[in-house]
Amino acid sequence: MKIIMLGAPGAGKGTQADKICAKYDIPHISTGDIFRANIKNNTELGQKAKSYMDKGLLVPDELVVDLVVDRVKADDCAKGYVLDGFPRTIPQAEALDKALEASGEKVDFAINVEVPDENIINRMSGRRACVTCGATYHIVHIPTKVEGICDKCGSELILRDDDKPETVKKRLDVYHEQTQPLIDYYTEKGVLHEVDGTKDMEEVFGAIVNILGA
Ligand code: AP5
Ligand code: MG
């Protein structure tokens, strides 16, 4: 089962991807998490990516495509995977399709989590993220047991550098311009499904499970 999560920044892609991966026992591949881990470890990729991410811009396609195409060939992806934050441009989607076609595979589901821009900024200011394990919380909607500490791995939580309101606005502009065209792209491929991301997270997950099948 090869699944792509689409949706604006803060729509809940990461939150739902975590739940899908736990239920179907497949890996969660988040390009944003991969970049944040590289930034934390001060790698060359991390340094390059940070300069774009901090401005709310997309990292250039050439820094992302090979990384993901290699990752999905790993043994743990044999049963499928959830791609969260990739593809984000038409060239990325085409590169993924080309790589999959070469081994007779294809994307099975593209799930678009729909949330209007008005709701997003409010959500982002309350988000707390774990850079060690990638878990995501919200100070009101999904609080941790101990404030500021990840329930799953015990690491300290951060407020992401790109969650400042002015950067979030830029990310939304970039989303509408460069990523939203993927909705038509996957509609034409016959794999697009929409869910209402403004609902409670369990309701959103229920809608996704209905699409994927139990
Ligand atoms: P990335 O990390 O992918 O960020 P994003 O797409 O902007 O999305 P977010 O992670 O911000 O939001 P989300 O949809 O995962 O929402 P979440 O579940 O956390 O990318 C960051 C940057 O990396 C990009 O800007 C770009 O620079 C670069 N990058 C990454 N991939 C790239 C690529 N392929 N090409 C080029 N550049 C790339 O939820 C948000 C908050 O809401 C949380 O606090 C959560 O707890 C809460 N929440 C979730 N669901 C609900 C609900 N139903 N009700 C109430 N609250 C909820
Ligand atoms: Mg995310």
Side-chain angles (χ1 to χ4, degrees):
M1 190 170 348
K2 297 177 194 65
I3 304 166
I4 286 173
M5 302 303 292
L6 294 174
K13 302 181 295 295
T15 302
Q16 296 300 328
D18 266 347
K19 295 170 80 64
I20 297 168
C21 292
K23 179 171 170 66
Y24 297 93
D25 193 24
I26 50 179
H28 177 184
I29 303 172
S30 158
T31 41
D33 285 352
I34 293 171
F35 289 137
R36 281 183 287 279
N38 274 274
I39 292 170
K40 191 181 171 203
N41 296 326
N42 202 21
T43 67
E44 197 184 330
L45 175 65
Q47 288 171 7
K48 283 187 190 155
K50 186 172 170 37
S51 62
Y52 297 93
M53 289 168 75
D54 283 354
K55 294 191 194 106
L57 301 174
L58 294 185
V59 173
D61 289 342
E62 56 271 26
L63 291 182
V64 193
V65 168
D66 291 349
L67 187 148
V68 175
V69 166
D70 281 349
R71 176 66 187 86
V72 298
K73 287 182 193 148
D75 289 348
D76 66 332
C77 290
K79 259 178 41 183
Y81 43 82
V82 178
L83 286 178
D84 161 16
F86 183 97
R88 253 187 158 90
T89 63
I90 296 282
Q92 290 181 18
E94 289 172 345
L96 175 67
D97 279 346
K98 205 172 142 210
L100 290 176
E101 272 161 33
S103 47
E105 298 170 291
K106 65 173 188 58
V107 169
D108 299 306
F109 300 94
I111 297 174
N112 183 34
V113 184
E114 275 213 306
V115 177
D117 288 8
E118 309 79 272
N119 301 29
I120 299 274
I121 299 200
N122 173 29
R123 268 196 194 181
M124 303 296 240
S125 57
R127 171 163 61 186
R128 296 295 179 271
C130 176
V131 193
T132 307
C133 77
T136 302
Y137 304 91
H138 189 281
I139 49 175
V140 179
H141 306 298
I142 311 163
T144 47
K145 293 193 188 88
V146 180
E147 198 186 315
I149 302 294
C150 180
D151 286 348
K152 290 190 186 146
C153 76
S155 301
E156 223 173 293
L157 301 179
I158 58 148
L159 180 64
R160 275 170 44 177
D161 285 342
D162 59 350
D163 277 353
K164 286 178 277 183
E166 59 281 16
T167 314
V168 172
K169 285 194 191 105
K170 180 69 197 169
R171 286 163 61 198
L172 282 168
D173 290 345
V174 167
Y175 166 75
H176 290 300
E177 197 181 305
Q178 301 192 53
T179 307
Q180 214 168 15
L182 291 178
I183 294 174
D184 287 343
Y185 180 92
Y186 287 110
T187 301
E188 278 163 29
K189 304 254 171 205
V191 294
L192 188 90
H193 299 266
E194 310 253 3
V195 293
D196 179 355
T198 63
K199 297 272 192 327
D200 169 80
M201 60 183 256
E202 292 304 332
E203 268 183 75
V204 181
F205 185 56
I208 293 176
V209 172
N210 279 340
I211 293 164
L212 300 178

